[in-house]
Amino acid sequence: MRRGPAITALAALAISLTACGSAQTPPGGAAAPGGLQAKPADLSGANMYFIANTEQMGWFVTDADGLPLYRYDKDVPKPSKSNCEGECAKAWKPVLADKTPMATGVDPISMGVLTRPDGTKQLTIQGWPQYTFAEDKAAGDMKGQGKGGVWFVTAPNGAKITGGKAQNNTQNKSSGTPSTSPSSGGQTPQSAPPPAAPGY
């Protein structure tokens, strides 16, 4: 006799829980009245950068289009100063930082901004001004790697990547051929599976 009221109470509880659950909105639906709703982050006020990995280069920094960022040995990191102007800046386009720089996989403390002589703002990583190469047209192009022996793809820690053979690089036979051995501050080429992405 006692079973009946207990089963009735459990059934009532199940119905009330089902009713509560049905009030929840599935992902992509409208928010439930009075419920909390996550607001997407507004990144319109930021310049976004990322990291990528290839067997030849290991981890390196890219712009939002997947083009690699380069650093120039003739620049100065402390204080940051670009020595690429005029015709040089047409081939090696300064990476603009007219908005707050944000990067996935790059320590935000290492990122900065310098003001060029023409007043434009340029991204720096560990003090080194950053550039893209005009001949790189699509993600994966690295035609500027080792160019003239002074242009190198930038690693996430700001170091130049001097090891390995870059993709699509027709300049490998010149005196600007990248070294196959790591130099001080450089990154060892990846001969084994790439390590986990650097995280910050």
Side-chain angles (χ1 to χ4, degrees):
M1 295 294 271
R2 291 184 180 176
R3 251 183 176 175
I7 292 173
T8 305
L10 285 173
L13 178 61
I15 291 169
S16 68
L17 288 174
T18 303
C20 289
S22 65
Q24 293 180 355
T25 306
L36 296 176
Q37 182 178 12
K39 186 176 181 181
D42 180 10
L43 300 176
S44 61
N47 289 119
M48 296 300 299
Y49 309 99
F50 302 90
I51 59 171
N53 182 283
T54 67
E55 185 179 343
Q56 295 94 333
M57 303 301 292
W59 292 103
F60 58 94
V61 187
T62 76
D63 67 7
D65 296 321
L67 299 179
L69 303 193
Y70 297 87
R71 46 174 276 185
Y72 183 36
D73 278 355
K74 295 184 180 179
D75 282 346
V76 179
K78 295 179 182 179
S80 299
K81 182 182 186 303
S82 169
N83 287 312
C84 179
E85 298 177 21
E87 290 301 311
C88 175
K90 290 179 182 177
W92 299 92
K93 301 175 182 178
V95 176
L96 298 182
D98 51 341
K99 301 175 183 176
T100 303
M102 293 182 68
T104 299
V106 179
D107 186 348
I109 295 174
S110 72
M111 302 178 73
V113 177
L114 73 83
T115 302
R116 295 179 60 81
D118 62 3
T120 58
K121 306 291 187 182
Q122 182 175 4
L123 173 70
T124 64
I125 299 178
Q126 290 293 5
W128 290 95
Q130 299 296 304
Y131 307 83
T132 54
F133 186 44
E135 293 183 26
D136 289 344
K137 303 296 184 183
D141 285 352
M142 292 185 196
K143 297 177 182 176
Q145 173 65 0
K147 193 92 164 168
V150 292
W151 291 96
F152 298 96
V153 173
T154 305
N157 65 358
K160 65 182 179 181
I161 299 174
T162 58
K165 177 182 174 186
Q167 297 174 353
N168 303 322
N169 187 357
T170 57
Q171 304 299 322
N172 286 340
K173 296 177 183 176
S174 71
S175 60
T177 302
S179 166
T180 54
S181 60
S183 64
S184 61
Q187 181 172 334
T188 306
Q190 301 296 324
S191 55
Y200 294 98

